[in-house]
Amino acid sequence: MYAPDRDQDLRWIQRAIDLAALCPPAAGAYSVGAVIVGEDGTELAAGYSRATGPREHAEEVALAQLPPNDPRLAGATIYSTLEPCSQRSASHTPCAQRILEAGIPRVVIAWREPTLFVDDCVGYEQLVEAGVTVVELPELTAAAKAANAHLGDLA
């Protein structure tokens, strides 16, 4: 499994934050960026919310760029500016579940999901319970929130 040092985690989460800034603002949705990095430290895929449609999440967009059985996912890390969602409408698989199905063993986030749209996001907990290593970088929470200024005060 890819186990980067803190500087590499910070660099990749910054790339995800830069992607989040590309999101078209939406009144009912967060602007999130995500990057999947292979075990060798190279970018495998990247995405941001609403990049390919009005309801797509960043992790969903990034994962869609790779075959579901891509062997590189078994050693990859996904960097996301926001905790992967644990619930969505019936027609969309939550991002935490997508990450588990893809077999990605490590997730790095900048920000836990606040209660603005979902009262109790448990994506972080679901991933940890399934054996995924989850790293939170709270020093970048403010930068991740900045892409969501369209939603008002999220603190």
Side-chain angles (χ1 to χ4, degrees), residues 5-137:
D5 62 27
R6 188 161 183 78
D7 288 343
Q8 289 184 17
D9 278 348
L10 292 170
R11 179 172 69 90
W12 286 113
I13 204 77
Q14 185 58 58
R15 165 101 168 97
I17 289 167
D18 293 344
L19 288 165
L22 300 175
C23 296
Y30 295 107
S31 292
V32 178
V35 182
I36 302 171
V37 178
E39 194 168 14
D40 63 356
T42 60
E43 183 174 315
L44 302 178
Y48 56 87
S49 303
R50 300 174 294 288
T52 57
R55 300 195 61 213
E56 280 78 20
H57 289 192
E59 301 92 336
E60 177 179 19
V61 171
L63 284 165
Q65 296 170 28
L66 299 168
N69 58 351
D70 190 319
R72 298 175 297 173
L73 293 172
T77 296
I78 187 165
Y79 293 85
S80 180
T81 58
L82 185 67
E83 171 184 11
C85 67
S86 60
Q87 44 186 297
R88 290 181 76 178
S89 66
S91 62
H92 285 77
T93 302
C95 293
Q97 184 61 41
R98 288 175 187 273
I99 291 166
L100 292 174
E101 289 171 1
I104 296 174
R106 188 169 184 269
V107 176
V108 178
I109 62 169
W111 181 27
R112 296 285 294 263
E113 184 171 337
T115 58
L116 186 62
F117 301 120
V118 175
D119 285 336
D120 188 24
C121 180
V122 292
Y124 183 106
E125 291 81 2
Q126 287 176 348
L127 292 166
V128 169
E129 286 172 14
V132 173
T133 299
V134 182
V135 177
E136 187 175 354
L137 300 174

